Amino acid sequence: KIFEKMEAKDGIASAHINLGALAVKLGQITIAKKHYETALSISTEIGNYTATKDCYEGLYKFYLKQNDCKLALSNYQLFINYRDSLLNQENTKKVVQAQMNYEFEKKIQIAKLEQEKKDVAAREEKQKQVYIRNSLIAGFLVLLLFAFFIYRSYRINKKTARDLAQK
């Protein structure tokens, strides 16, 4: 009743399947068949393969208890078909998911390699800049030292010239 108020057809089908299984166990044959058939019509209408599979399984057990081997076999075959179809769908989903995971991991690895290449290039560029900076500083210091010696030599020469001029 709750599922009917909510208009949840999946829930209605599932409830009918459960009521059918309970009725079979209690020996209420006509009620069980009614619930299974209602669940089957709802599940096929909404395309719920799992519920349809469960309906055929229930009908198989129902007809087996009724000793109607022909209908039991027919429903069992339909149950097997739906079960296999669901397994194939699940396997297909797993394969697709595995492929997607592989592609995703592959893209991540490629991105990591590209980032590593960029990092190496950035490190090399930084080292080059540090080398150039250090070379310029060293050159400036050598130039400063050279200027100091020239200035010192100039002062010595000037002092010597003054000393000579005073004598």
Side-chain angles (χ1 to χ4, degrees):
K1 297 290 181 190
I2 294 172
F3 289 130
E4 288 174 355
K5 286 181 183 177
M6 293 173 39
E7 297 180 11
K9 291 189 176 189
D10 281 337
I12 295 170
S14 189
H16 279 289
I17 292 168
N18 292 335
L19 289 171
L22 182 63
V24 167
K25 287 182 181 178
L26 294 175
Q28 299 172 345
I29 304 304
T30 55
I31 294 173
K33 185 176 180 184
K34 183 181 110 182
H35 283 299
Y36 280 129
E37 288 175 348
T38 303
L40 182 62
S41 71
I42 293 171
S43 63
T44 50
E45 174 189 333
I46 61 174
N48 185 337
Y49 281 3
T50 304
T52 304
K53 171 193 70 92
D54 294 341
C55 289
Y56 284 124
E57 182 181 19
L59 285 169
Y60 152 70
K61 291 176 182 176
F62 166 78
Y63 285 119
L64 200 59
K65 272 202 167 189
Q66 291 297 306
N67 291 324
D68 190 345
C69 295
K70 185 176 180 184
L71 286 174
L73 178 63
S74 173
N75 282 290
Y76 183 74
Q77 288 172 335
L78 290 168
F79 160 69
I80 295 297
N81 287 342
Y82 274 90
R83 185 193 66 191
D84 291 348
S85 176
L86 285 170
L87 288 175
N88 286 339
Q89 287 177 357
E90 289 175 15
N91 288 339
T92 301
K93 284 180 186 177
K94 287 179 184 177
V95 167
V96 168
Q97 188 173 8
Q99 287 174 338
M100 290 174 66
N101 285 341
Y102 172 75
E103 292 296 324
F104 181 70
E105 291 295 325
K106 188 176 174 184
K107 287 179 182 178
I108 287 175
Q109 290 297 329
I110 290 171
K112 283 181 181 179
L113 288 174
E114 288 176 1
Q115 186 61 39
E116 286 178 12
K117 286 179 183 177
K118 288 178 183 177
D119 291 345
V120 166
R123 270 187 256 128
E124 288 175 353
E125 182 64 28
K126 187 174 181 179
Q127 286 176 345
K128 183 178 177 183
Q129 289 175 355
V130 167
Y131 177 75
I132 290 172
R133 182 196 68 200
N134 291 342
S135 297
L136 287 173
I137 290 172
F140 181 71
L141 290 175
V142 167
L143 185 64
L144 198 59
L145 188 65
F146 184 68
F148 172 74
F149 283 119
I150 290 176
Y151 178 71
R152 188 172 147 224
S153 175
Y154 170 73
R155 283 185 65 201
I156 291 173
N157 285 341
K158 192 174 182 184
K159 187 177 179 182
T160 306
R162 241 186 299 145
D163 285 343
L164 287 177
Q166 284 180 355
K167 285 190 186 183

